[in-house]
Amino acid sequence: MSRIRQLSADEETRRLAFVRERALRDEVSLLNDAKREGREEVARSMILKTEMDDVMIADIAELSVEDVSKLRAEIKH
């Protein structure tokens, strides 16, 4: 317990822990963004190449129907 107190009292250790925590959160965020972009790309392709409705595409691409509708509107413009 005293070692934990000693470490938490060290300013540089706290700073490094904060930087590491932020880097981990950033990595998770970037991975989630990449996954979403991939799902959106699948949905765009399905919109262009199939006659499926937004509900079916949303189900397959694991997106909301609203997101698929927005992608469809973007493609039409």
Side-chain angles (χ1 to χ4, degrees):
M1 192 64 163
S2 65
R3 180 70 177 141
I4 292 172
R5 286 190 191 112
Q6 180 184 11
L7 286 173
S8 65
D10 180 10
E11 187 175 325
E12 180 64 10
T13 302
R14 284 194 313 271
R15 187 188 72 75
L16 290 173
F18 174 78
V19 169
R20 182 177 185 279
E21 180 68 27
R22 186 173 53 197
L24 290 172
R25 274 189 266 120
D26 289 349
E27 182 179 9
V28 168
S29 179
L30 289 172
L31 288 171
N32 287 336
D33 289 347
K35 287 177 186 177
R36 178 159 183 84
E37 286 176 23
R39 290 191 306 265
E40 288 177 352
E41 190 57 38
V42 167
R44 279 187 194 92
S45 180
M46 293 174 76
I47 289 167
L48 292 170
K49 297 177 182 178
T50 72
E51 298 295 320
M52 288 183 189
D53 64 12
D54 292 354
V55 174
M56 291 178 70
I57 293 172
D59 185 47
I60 293 169
E62 298 178 358
L63 294 169
S64 70
V65 175
E66 182 180 288
D67 289 339
V68 174
S69 296
K70 286 179 186 176
L71 289 172
R72 189 179 294 276
E74 289 174 9
I75 290 170
K76 288 184 179 179
H77 287 104

